[in-house]
Amino acid sequence: AQSVSQHNHHVILSEAASLELGCNYSYGGTVNLFWYVQYPGQHLQLLLKYFSGDPLVKGIKGFEAEFIKSKFSFNLRKPSVQWSDTAEYFCAVNAKTGYSTLTFGKGTMLLVSP
Amino acid sequence: GAGVSQSPSNKVTEKGKDVELRCDPISGHTALYWYRQSLGQGLEFLIYFQGNSAPDKSGLPSDRFSAERTGGSVSTLTIQRTQQEDSAVYLCASSSLASVEKLFFGSGTQLSVL
């Protein structure tokens, strides 16, 4: 079974600072990778995903993530955060083969101060 | 409906009582997931339904937890003899066969066991 580890539980940044949230997964086969975001009082929603091809994927609101297969990592980045990026961010993985559940990390709460 | 609907939105119960949580997925979505979100624990997978396949129950924490999905649509998560540690937000999500990785989440049921 797959598992996901997110390095930071809480991150506090000032506006315009750069962001990198770490995510590592554990699984012996090929995977799909995702970042979901939950803004305060809102539903979880998909931020970006990686299935294959270019390991650098771009998502909504200026976020991007890079899949590094050798490191089993899928870190989320944004060059300059805004106050509106305050949210909880979840990394997730599922196996490519067959029907596979989506396994989430424990989440990273990002607080951006204005 | 337009989105995933969960009811009730809040449930307060006494230890030892049974509770039923309902999820109405997006019409036509064949995949349905139940997750539990506890403070500091992220999203914990509980159970996954995909079409007519046998559900993946590997995430259910104990035999007090069960779920069913009638007619491939509405799902009910039942917790028997509730314990205080069952207190959490129970989230339901659904996805289509064409895009199984893009989960649409409901707003959850906040369960409080006193």
Side-chain angles (χ1 to χ4, degrees):
Chain A
Q2 60 266 25
S3 65
V4 180
S5 174
Q6 291 185 240
H7 308 160
N8 310 98
H9 294 300
H10 294 90
V11 173
I12 301 174
L13 295 173
S14 299
E15 275 194 315
S18 64
L19 170 71
E20 181 160 3
L21 301 183
C23 172
N24 286 89
Y25 69 93
S26 173
Y27 183 68
T30 53
V31 296
N32 301 314
L33 294 155
F34 312 85
W35 278 95
Y36 278 79
V37 60
Q38 187 171 27
Y39 297 103
Q42 296 188 25
H43 302 179
L44 273 157
Q45 56 185 287
L46 184 65
L47 193 57
L48 50 78
K49 62 187 179 184
Y50 170 80
F51 281 179
S52 63
D54 188 345
L56 184 64
V57 292
K58 297 189 184 297
I60 59 173
K61 304 187 180 184
F63 285 91
E64 64 179 33
E66 185 176 12
F67 171 48
I68 303 179
K69 188 175 181 180
S70 61
K71 294 184 178 180
F72 297 89
S73 70
F74 191 56
N75 292 355
L76 181 70
R77 299 195 294 250
K78 185 171 183 177
S80 176
V81 295
Q82 300 173 313
W83 174 79
S84 58
D85 293 326
T86 293
E88 191 158 18
Y89 294 81
F90 294 90
C91 183
V93 62
N94 72 349
K96 281 191 183 292
T97 55
Y99 293 122
S100 173
T101 59
L102 196 59
T103 300
F104 286 83
K106 293 189 175 183
T108 298
M109 183 67 220
L110 172 66
L111 178 61
V112 180
S113 57
Chain B
V4 177
S5 177
Q6 291 188 246
S7 61
S9 55
N10 282 282
K11 176 72 177 178
V12 180
T13 190
E14 294 178 349
K15 179 181 172 182
K17 300 283 189 183
D18 297 350
V19 295
E20 281 190 356
L21 312 180
R22 177 188 167 101
C23 173
D24 201 343
I26 293 172
S27 178
H29 278 191
T30 57
L32 187 148
Y33 300 78
W34 282 98
Y35 285 89
R36 179 166 69 177
Q37 187 175 22
S38 307
L39 197 62
Q41 296 299 312
L43 271 76
E44 178 188 7
F45 165 73
L46 297 177
I47 188 169
Y48 165 53
F49 296 90
Q50 175 59 274
N52 294 321
S53 302
D56 179 351
K57 304 180 182 179
S58 61
L60 294 178
S62 77
D63 59 7
R64 296 186 295 105
F65 288 73
S66 63
E68 62 178 25
R69 188 177 184 192
T70 54
S73 182
V74 172
S75 177
T76 302
L77 176 69
T78 301
I79 309 173
Q80 295 177 309
R81 306 181 302 281
T82 52
Q83 303 294 314
Q84 288 182 332
E85 60 264 27
D86 299 335
S87 296
V89 176
Y90 288 82
L91 290 169
C92 176
S94 69
S95 65
S96 68
L97 191 60
S99 187
V100 294
E101 80 293 349
K102 188 170 182 179
L103 270 62
F104 291 83
F105 282 85
S107 53
T109 294
Q110 173 74 62
L111 176 65
S112 301
V113 182
L114 305 179

